[in-house]
Amino acid sequence: MRIIRSIVLYAGLALGANTAMADMSAVEALRDGDMQKLNFHTESKPTPDTVFFDADGNETTLAAFEGKHVVLNFWATWCAPCRAEMPSLDRLEAEFGGDAFAVIPVATGRNPRPAIDGFFDEAEIENLPIFTDPKQQLARKMAVLGLPVTVILDAEGNEIARLTGDAEWDSESAKAIVTALVDTP
């Protein structure tokens, strides 16, 4: 029954429902399996303009991704649940990444670059960029108290949902949620 409900809701959203104007409960109803842990906020929350670093060590902020819906994942090389979910985040980025959507994994805390590179090679992570937050400044400002934590940002860069713990980010439910959000005019 849940699958039928999800299909009906997904079809309605795909056929032109404006989720920006509509009640987010329609998007929330797409949650199934691991995505049931995804908590949508009643009001979007601004994100901090805190610096973190790209793969080349250049400073960046979340403002660099405005215009895209973002799945912002806080993780660490030593975190087993983080490592378990990373391949599904990679597949989500492979399928949806582009002008309207991005998966942004941020290794927070002590994560030496050789350890990140080694894990990406071992897990065959091919589509995700490397970002680091070595002093956990972004994680602290965003109230990340454990790992993994994944935050969904709207195209204006505001936090609209949060999931604590690992999840299958390429599940049918996750893909339906991403599709509904990205298709928002």
Side-chain angles (χ1 to χ4, degrees), residues 30-115:
L30 296 170
R31 296 176 302 162
D32 195 18
D34 288 341
M35 289 298 110
Q36 290 178 355
K37 298 184 290 186
L38 182 62
N39 294 307
F40 283 87
H41 307 313
T42 55
E43 293 185 20
S44 63
K45 301 177 181 182
T47 54
D49 197 27
T50 305
V51 169
F52 58 104
F53 302 92
D54 69 15
D56 296 322
N58 299 313
E59 292 183 351
T60 191
T61 65
L62 294 174
F65 304 98
E66 284 185 21
K68 296 183 180 198
H69 280 83
V70 171
V71 169
L72 174 65
N73 178 263
F74 291 93
W75 74 288
T77 55
W78 49 263
C79 167
C82 301
R83 293 170 69 98
E85 77 175 347
M86 195 63 67
S88 70
L89 287 162
D90 188 56
R91 291 187 294 268
L92 186 69
E93 173 65 16
E95 185 168 341
F96 289 94
D99 292 339
F101 177 80
V103 176
I104 304 300
V106 178
T108 188
R110 292 185 180 170
N111 293 281
R113 181 60 191 268

Side-chain angles (χ1 to χ4, degrees), residues 2-185:
R2 181 175 285 163
I3 292 172
I4 292 170
R5 184 182 75 203
S6 293
I7 291 169
V8 169
L9 288 169
Y10 173 70
L13 289 168
L15 292 173
N18 183 342
T19 56
M21 303 302 281
D23 185 355
M24 285 300 285
S25 63
V27 178
E28 290 181 63
L30 296 170
R31 296 176 302 162
D32 195 18
D34 288 341
M35 289 298 110
Q36 290 178 355
K37 298 184 290 186
L38 182 62
N39 294 307
F40 283 87
H41 307 313
T42 55
E43 293 185 20
S44 63
K45 301 177 181 182
T47 54
D49 197 27
T50 305
V51 169
F52 58 104
F53 302 92
D54 69 15
D56 296 322
N58 299 313
E59 292 183 351
T60 191
T61 65
L62 294 174
F65 304 98
E66 284 185 21
K68 296 183 180 198
H69 280 83
V70 171
V71 169
L72 174 65
N73 178 263
F74 291 93
W75 74 288
T77 55
W78 49 263
C79 167
C82 301
R83 293 170 69 98
E85 77 175 347
M86 195 63 67
S88 70
L89 287 162
D90 188 56
R91 291 187 294 268
L92 186 69
E93 173 65 16
E95 185 168 341
F96 289 94
D99 292 339
F101 177 80
V103 176
I104 304 300
V106 178
T108 188
R110 292 185 180 170
N111 293 281
R113 181 60 191 268
I116 294 171
D117 291 340
F119 168 65
F120 271 41
D121 287 344
E122 173 189 320
E124 299 178 357
I125 305 300
E126 300 175 351
N127 303 292
L128 295 177
I130 293 174
F131 291 99
T132 60
D133 179 25
K135 295 183 180 179
Q136 300 176 317
Q137 293 174 336
L138 180 61
R140 278 193 212 113
K141 291 271 186 168
M142 293 194 68
V144 173
L145 303 175
L147 296 175
V149 168
T150 305
V151 177
I152 297 181
L153 308 179
D154 65 16
E156 288 75 44
N158 297 307
E159 179 176 337
I160 59 171
R162 181 177 288 232
L163 188 149
T164 301
D166 60 322
E168 283 298 318
W169 285 98
D170 63 337
S171 69
E172 290 306 312
S173 178
K175 291 192 285 188
I177 290 166
V178 169
T179 298
L181 294 172
V182 171
D183 285 347
T184 301

